[in-house]
Amino acid sequence: MPIPPFVTDLRRMVGDHELWLPGVTAVVVHEGAVLLTLRADNGQWAPVTGIIDPGEEPALAARREALEETGVEISVDRLASVGVIPPVTYANGDRACYLDLTFACSWVAGTPYAADDENTDARWWPLDALPPMDEHLRARLEAALSGECAARYRSGR
């Protein structure tokens, strides 16, 4: 799985100590279906996710991640939720904790496919027939699909 260069630089300085990183989730909807990726690292289905680069606008990061991971162009419609993802320990021992900004998004163009090595599949899933997914991912989907105008602020603990 590709690690952003700035994270690689940080890891050289701090080793595997827990990093606090900003991330995005793009919940992309089109014709009653949501775009999901099959993650290469854990074999689980998830919406598009990624790390925000230093100085990058979060909504632009969501657009970039969707294109990089699935080949799909999107519009970012609104901020749906803000929350902290439970701490993660990767196979190499690196630890991270993420502040997640989840965006409700719409399809603009493109047919989904696994466009990078972070995922092994990308496809549309009917909203009424979603695959098994972690509870924290389902909460992000629910917030983005709720149609609410205000963002939800999740309590991760």
Side-chain angles (χ1 to χ4, degrees):
M1 176 178 299
I3 299 171
F6 83 93
V7 174
T8 302
D9 292 344
L10 283 171
R11 287 288 176 209
R12 277 193 215 101
M13 293 181 273
V14 301
D16 64 1
H17 290 277
E18 186 173 80
L19 293 177
W20 174 248
L21 297 168
V24 293
T25 299
V27 178
V28 184
V29 177
H30 178 57
E31 297 180 346
V34 65
L35 180 61
L36 299 178
T37 63
L38 186 59
R39 295 177 54 103
D41 62 349
N42 64 15
Q44 301 291 313
W45 287 98
V48 172
T49 62
I51 296 172
I52 301 170
D53 290 334
E56 185 177 27
E57 290 291 337
L60 295 179
R63 287 181 55 208
R64 174 183 54 76
E65 289 290 345
L67 188 59
E68 286 177 2
E69 292 186 8
T70 71
V72 171
E73 294 179 44
I74 66 169
S75 68
V76 176
D77 302 328
R78 69 178 177 83
L79 178 64
S81 69
V82 176
V84 176
I85 296 172
V88 177
T89 301
Y90 294 97
N92 66 359
D94 288 351
R95 294 175 294 136
C97 192
Y98 294 92
L99 171 66
D100 175 71
L101 304 169
T102 295
F103 292 96
C105 305
S106 300
W107 174 87
V108 172
T111 301
Y113 67 100
D116 64 13
D117 61 355
E118 291 182 46
N119 302 290
T120 59
D121 196 0
R123 67 173 81 155
W124 297 108
W125 283 84
L127 294 174
D128 61 356
L130 295 174
M133 206 176 308
D134 286 339
E135 186 177 320
H136 68 277
L137 292 171
R138 286 221 179 251
R140 288 184 243 171
L141 284 174
E142 180 186 321
L145 299 171
S146 72
E148 297 170 359
C149 292
R152 293 183 182 183
Y153 297 94
R154 301 185 311 268
S155 172
R157 302 187 206 284

